[in-house]
């Protein structure tokens, strides 16, 4: 397999927990790409922290990366929302996310009378937030947005839970509205535009490395990318039986260095 560049997922591929602790071989793999001058973008759907904060946490844990190496939903979401004249938001997500959106001049409120409902990963999601979001969409005509379209996610304790995309889909189904809601994560139109402009490598010479078979690997395979599944995340080898979109399977990122011929 001849590869000129990589898109690399973050959670479950490079890091294993909320502290962005590196998985075995992850720091060494980034060092390998840097040494060999192979272009890469860390393409993450993580919506709990701004890109700059993620990079600081990664650097603290030994990763040789900077802001130019990463694209997150928050790289693209504010500009799109502003273009669509969204001024007020009910945000389902972390306090970091709310502060970030406020810093980008959005009014973030717990009222259902808003222009938009923005769904991110929220470990404190509860019945009240469900009611406010539903009322905003159904009664007040708010537009629905999601920071990614992940079906399932994995917590630090190893347990799984519905992903951001699944929660957003719940709202659109309940309200019979916004079925084509925009999302700002991987395979989103705006997200992909930023990623491929930053990487500047032909799609058929790029590989997507991810633990997400159904959003990341199937999605980017459909765009012509090669796909590499890492077993360190939320999906297992058994899940591979449901998909034909994986070219290579690895247990450690450094296995890629020995199995993929990298064109410089």
């Amino acid at each position: 397999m001849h590869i000129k560049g990589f898109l690399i997922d973050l959670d479950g591929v490079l890091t294993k927990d909320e502290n962005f602790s590196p998985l075995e071989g992850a720091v060494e793999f980034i060092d390998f790409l840097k040494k060999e001058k192979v272009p890469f973008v860390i393409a993450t759907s993580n919506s709990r922290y701004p890109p700059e904060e993620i990079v600081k946490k990664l650097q603290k844990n030994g990763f040789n990366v900077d802001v130019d190496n990463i694209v997150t939903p928050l790289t693209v979401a504010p500009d799109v929302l502003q273009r669509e004249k969204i001024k007020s938001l009910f945000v389902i997500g972390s306090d970091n996310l709310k502060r970030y959106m406020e810093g980008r001049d959005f009014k973030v409120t717990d009222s259902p009378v808003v222009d938009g409902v923005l769904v991110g990963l929220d470990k404190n999601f509860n019945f009240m937030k469900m009611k406010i979001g539903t009322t905003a969409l159904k009664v007040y005509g708010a537009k629905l947005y999601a920071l990614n379209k992940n079906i399932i996610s994995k917590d630090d304790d190893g347990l799984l839970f519905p992903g951001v995309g699944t929660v957003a889909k719940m709202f659109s189904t309940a309200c019979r509205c916004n079925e084509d809601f925009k999302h700002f994560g991987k395979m989103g139109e705006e997200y992909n535009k930023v990623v491929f402009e930053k990487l500047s490598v032909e799609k058929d010479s790029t590989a997507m490395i991810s633990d997400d078979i159904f959003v990341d690997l199937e999605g980017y395979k459909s765009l012509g990318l090669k796909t590499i599944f890492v077993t360190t995340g939320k999906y297992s080898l058994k899940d591979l039986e449901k998909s034909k979109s994986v070219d290579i399977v690895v247990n450690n990122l450094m296995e890629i260095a020995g199995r993929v011929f990298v064109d410089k």
Side-chain angles (χ1 to χ4, degrees):
M1 184 185 294
H2 293 254
I3 298 299
K4 294 182 179 179
F6 291 94
L7 300 184
I8 309 171
D9 189 18
L10 179 64
D11 300 324
V13 175
L14 292 175
T15 62
K16 60 184 176 181
D17 55 33
E18 191 73 15
N19 295 318
F20 296 90
S21 304
L23 285 158
E24 184 178 354
V27 170
E28 292 82 0
F29 183 65
I30 296 298
D31 287 342
F32 164 78
L33 296 180
K34 291 275 190 174
K35 179 182 177 182
E36 298 296 325
K37 295 182 171 56
V38 179
F40 70 91
V41 170
I42 298 172
T44 176
S45 289
N46 188 301
S47 61
R48 288 178 61 78
Y49 301 99
E52 297 80 5
E53 190 167 345
I54 292 176
V55 167
K56 288 179 181 178
K57 291 176 180 291
L58 289 173
Q59 291 172 341
K60 184 177 179 180
N61 285 322
F63 287 97
N64 180 17
V65 295
D66 54 43
V67 175
D68 286 338
N69 295 129
I70 191 168
V71 175
T72 87
L74 296 183
T75 305
V76 300
D79 291 340
V80 176
L81 292 172
Q82 287 166 358
R83 287 203 304 266
E84 299 199 354
K85 311 300 183 185
I86 301 297
K87 296 181 178 180
S88 58
L89 286 167
F90 174 60
V91 175
I92 296 171
S94 66
D95 289 339
N96 287 320
L97 172 59
K98 293 176 183 178
R99 285 192 294 269
Y100 183 81
M101 297 309 293
E102 287 174 335
R104 295 299 299 268
D105 296 327
F106 294 96
K107 178 184 178 183
V108 176
T109 176
D110 288 334
S111 167
V113 186
V114 289
D115 299 325
V117 173
L118 181 63
V119 182
L121 194 156
D122 190 339
K123 293 189 176 183
N124 294 306
F125 186 56
N126 57 31
F127 188 56
M128 179 57 72
K129 294 177 183 180
M130 191 186 302
K131 290 194 296 182
I132 295 172
T134 303
T135 303
L137 295 164
K138 183 70 174 176
V139 178
Y140 294 101
K143 294 183 70 174
L144 177 64
Y145 300 91
L147 285 176
N148 62 63
K149 213 170 186 178
N150 288 359
I151 298 169
I152 198 167
S153 295
K154 186 177 182 179
D155 207 359
D156 291 354
D157 58 8
L159 297 178
L160 304 175
F161 59 95
V164 170
T166 300
V167 175
K169 182 65 175 176
M170 174 198 70
F171 280 116
S172 70
T173 300
C175 300
R176 295 188 177 182
C177 65
N178 302 135
E179 292 183 4
D180 58 345
F181 63 87
K182 285 188 177 179
H183 74 94
F184 306 115
K186 279 169 285 183
M187 285 305 296
E189 181 179 354
E190 298 285 344
Y191 188 100
N192 282 351
K193 181 180 178 181
V194 173
V195 163
F196 290 121
E197 285 179 354
K198 187 180 286 285
L199 190 62
S200 296
V201 175
E202 300 89 344
K203 292 185 176 67
D204 61 0
S205 298
T206 301
M208 176 76 215
I209 307 173
S210 180
D211 67 325
D212 191 319
I213 301 167
F214 304 107
V215 174
D216 293 359
L217 300 183
E218 287 190 355
Y220 286 100
K221 183 74 169 181
S222 72
L223 298 182
L225 277 69
K226 304 298 189 296
T227 54
I228 302 173
F229 174 63
V230 184
T231 61
T232 49
K234 57 194 174 187
Y235 288 110
S236 67
L237 289 172
K238 186 176 181 180
D239 292 304
L240 284 179
E241 299 172 4
K242 306 171 187 175
S243 177
K244 297 180 180 180
S245 295
V246 175
D247 294 315
I248 293 179
V249 177
V250 298
N251 302 305
N252 182 308
L253 289 178
M254 283 305 293
E255 294 177 30
I256 297 171
R259 296 179 61 181
V260 173
F261 181 82
V262 177
D263 287 328
K264 300 179 190 178

